Each structure stands twice: as C-alpha cells, then as structure tokens.
Amino acid sequence: MQERYSRQMLFSGIGEEGQALLQNKHVLVIGAGALGTGNAEILVRSGVGTITIADRDYVEWSNLQRQQLYTEEDARNHMPKAIAAKKRLETINSDVKINAHIVDITPLEMEQFVHGIDLIIDATDNFDIRMIMNDISQKYAIPWIYGSIVASYGVSFTVIPGTSPCLHCLMEDVPIGGMTCDTGGVISPVVQLVVAHQTAEALKILTENWEYVRRELISFDLWTNQHASINVSKVKKAACSSCGSEATYPFLTYDNKMKTAVLCGRDTVQIRPAANEQRDLETVAASLSKLGKVEQNDFLLQFKTGENRMVMFKDGRVLVHGTNDEVKAKSLYHKYLA
C-alpha cells in the first residue's frame, strides 16, 4: 500500500491514517454514467475499500464521449453499465471490492443497499431517485453528495444529515422537465469538474476531515465563465418532512404497481413490473425469435419489431425504444413480453 498510494499519503490532509480509513470505507454510487464512472474511478484509484455501483442502463455509442470507463466493445455488446464498470475498475485496482447491481433504484433497493454504507454519491440524472437518496440519507444519517451536469453547466452540494439543509429543503417539489444532457447535450470538461468537486468532498468525509467539508452549493458554467458559491445554510427547514424534527421520509413510500417512465430526451419508455421477477432470457428469446430479430448476452436481450426496439433485463424490466408514448409502450410490452 505504501508505494501505490505514496503520493496521496504525502498529502497532509490524508497521510497514513487517512489512507487506512479509506481502506475500510464503503461508498454507494447511484448511476454509472458520466458522473458515476468518473467518481468510481477516482475512488477506486484512491484506495476506498469497497465500492457498490447501481445502474439500470446499458452502454450505448452516445455514452463513449464522456463516460470514461467504457469502450466500443461495451457498446457493441450492449453491456450493462454496472457490469462494464466493475470489469474495468477491477483492472485498475484489484485490492478494491466492487459490487455491481443492474437495477432501477426504488426505496426497496435503497433500503437493501444502504446498510454498512459510509457515503452515497449521486450520479443519476433522475430527480425521483435523488429524492429517494435524500430521504435514505436522512433516515440512516449517511452523508451524500449531489451532482448534476447539463450542457456546460454543473452543480454540486454536500448533504450532511443533522447539519446541512437536505435536497428537499432546497427543492420543495421534485423538478419536472427542463433541459437534460439528452436534450441540451453535455461537454466532457463539465463532467470532470463536477466529479472533482464530488470526489474532493468524498475524500474529506471518508478520511473524517469534517472541518473542511464544503458547506456551500457550488454552480458553474464553463462555457460562459460563470461561477457561484451559495451559502444555503439558512434554507434548512425545521418542518421539512425529510430532515425536520418530525421527519416522515415521504419519498420512501412505494406502491407495488407496474410503473412506466419516459426517459428524458431518449425517445424511450421504461416499464417496470409490479414486482421484481427473474425472467429466463433463454426462454423469452426462443419465443421472440419466431417473431423477429433477437440479440442476447448474459444480462439482457434485444428484440426489434417494426420501428421499435425492446430491451429486457433479467429482473423483468423493459426499455421500449423508438417511442415516448407510454400507452403504446405498454401495448408492445403486453403483446410481446408480459
């Protein structure tokens, strides 16, 4: 360990004691896209003992411009991002334990993943999931680091339960709509800068340098050369239902129904069954091969019908590409995959 982390240990803020702390910490990274891969790689190279990655998607060609762990082979093979990230990270540092989960995060999954976690990194582009993270953070007193990117704009904020305002304090309602990287694009440098802010805060927290943890919300636009550091301490609400004195954690409720969601800017609808169900992809592929072209790997299968492409994961979750019409997507799902 001395040689591998020697330059990091020379830094007075970490040293030998901090490096030993890192080796015994466990970080949960939600999302394995641009922010997720950047965060995971730095934390793995830094020697954090265990990294758990949860992501619902697979690698596509449009990801390669900014999602640094993935290759053309991953895109050709439609590899789930969590699996491709784990494979790459294990070649970077074999001393770090990497857990990978192909999953769409709901309160149920967060409750399963959160035990033994020291820090949660937000690397998703979905505010519903962020609010779940926020409530889990408050319920179990686990810090988490918010990060968001779009175009040339980035934001980061560190949430420390019991000390800082939570995301619910900052945003009383879950934001709906607005520009995303799928509609407004994104440049790689903004990814790296948000990752730098997130991982710097992560290293402070994991080495227990609490006095240096940033208390402000940071935002910047690299293209227009704007930068802001906003003191949000007064935004903390005593009556907040997520972090107040009588918190009810409203975003941790879950109804056991089929859920559909339009994925922003992707002309894709995700369909999640009422309950997780392990599907036998071989059996499904054999049935669908009589109706159209089927491609399959160990984790998912693809089926093309007309202008639509459907991707099924082992947990029964389906992405219907080529439409943002939830009614049409559900009709295709029930016709071919239900």
Side-chain angles (χ1 to χ4, degrees), residues 40-324:
E41 180 168 346
I42 288 179
L43 295 177
V44 164
R45 289 186 184 278
S46 298
V48 174
T50 306
I51 306 289
T52 294
I53 300 171
D55 188 275
R56 66 186 180 182
D57 214 344
Y58 60 93
V59 181
E60 298 183 278
W61 289 95
S62 62
N63 303 148
L64 301 183
Q65 166 252 349
R66 67 198 179 282
Q67 299 182 17
Q68 65 191 55
L69 293 178
Y70 306 132
T71 66
E72 291 184 352
E73 183 180 3
D74 294 326
R76 275 192 295 270
N77 294 333
H78 308 295
M79 288 296 293
K81 291 182 179 179
I83 301 301
K86 172 182 168 70
K87 180 180 177 181
R88 172 62 176 151
L89 291 168
E90 288 175 338
T91 70
I92 291 172
N93 192 342
S94 59
D95 291 333
V96 176
K97 182 179 179 182
I98 312 293
N99 304 314
H101 300 278
I102 310 166
V103 65
D104 182 34
I105 290 295
T106 72
L108 297 177
E109 284 77 24
M110 285 300 294
E111 290 279 0
Q112 293 168 3
F113 294 152
V114 77
H115 300 288
I117 296 294
D118 297 292
L119 175 67
I120 303 169
I121 298 286
D122 165 33
T124 181
D125 60 358
N126 182 295
F127 261 96
D128 291 331
I129 296 175
R130 285 191 179 114
M131 299 309 280
I132 293 170
M133 273 189 272
N134 185 69
D135 274 12
I136 280 285
S137 162
Q138 300 302 320
K139 181 177 179 179
Y140 292 100
I142 300 170
W144 74 285
I145 305 173
Y146 165 62
S148 179
I149 54 172
V150 61
S152 56
Y153 179 76
V155 182
S156 182
F157 179 62
T158 303
V159 179
I160 308 296
T163 301
S164 70
C166 74
L167 191 63
H168 197 184
C169 291
L170 299 179
M171 305 174 181
E172 293 189 0
D173 298 306
V174 177
I176 302 297
M179 187 167 60
T180 72
C181 65
D182 292 302
T183 57
V186 63
I187 56 173
S188 292
V190 75
V191 175
Q192 302 304 320
L193 189 50
V194 172
V195 166
H197 280 292
Q198 287 185 293
T199 51
E201 294 304 297
L203 290 175
K204 295 174 194 177
I205 291 169
L206 297 172
T207 57
E208 301 176 8
N209 282 282
W210 296 100
E211 68 273 27
Y212 296 113
V213 173
R214 187 185 62 237
R215 307 295 174 176
E216 297 80 24
L217 183 148
I218 297 291
S219 68
F220 48 85
D221 190 318
L222 287 178
W223 203 259
T224 59
N225 306 311
Q226 297 176 340
H227 185 279
S229 178
I230 306 168
N231 185 338
V232 294
S233 59
K234 294 183 179 180
V235 178
K236 187 170 176 60
K237 298 177 174 64
C240 176
S241 57
S242 293
C243 73
S245 57
E246 298 182 5
T248 58
Y249 314 117
F251 298 97
L252 298 185
T253 58
Y254 180 80
D255 54 17
N256 201 28
K257 299 177 182 177
M258 175 184 283
K259 291 180 171 61
T260 62
V262 178
L263 304 189
C264 292
R266 290 183 58 185
D267 204 24
T268 298
V269 175
Q270 174 179 268
I271 297 176
R272 180 179 176 128
N276 284 347
E277 49 182 36
Q278 289 301 306
R279 297 292 295 267
D280 184 340
L281 296 183
E282 292 285 350
T283 301
V284 177
S287 175
L288 291 177
S289 63
K290 304 170 185 176
L291 304 173
K293 183 180 179 181
V294 178
E295 296 180 7
Q296 182 183 353
N297 61 32
D298 291 338
F299 309 100
L300 55 84
L301 67 80
Q302 279 196 102
F303 171 64
K304 293 183 180 179
T305 173
E307 298 178 351
N308 298 106
R309 179 167 56 93
M310 306 172 71
V311 176
M312 170 175 273
F313 296 86
K314 285 185 175 181
D315 63 1
R317 191 166 45 88
V318 173
L319 300 181
V320 182
H321 296 285
T323 183
N324 57 14

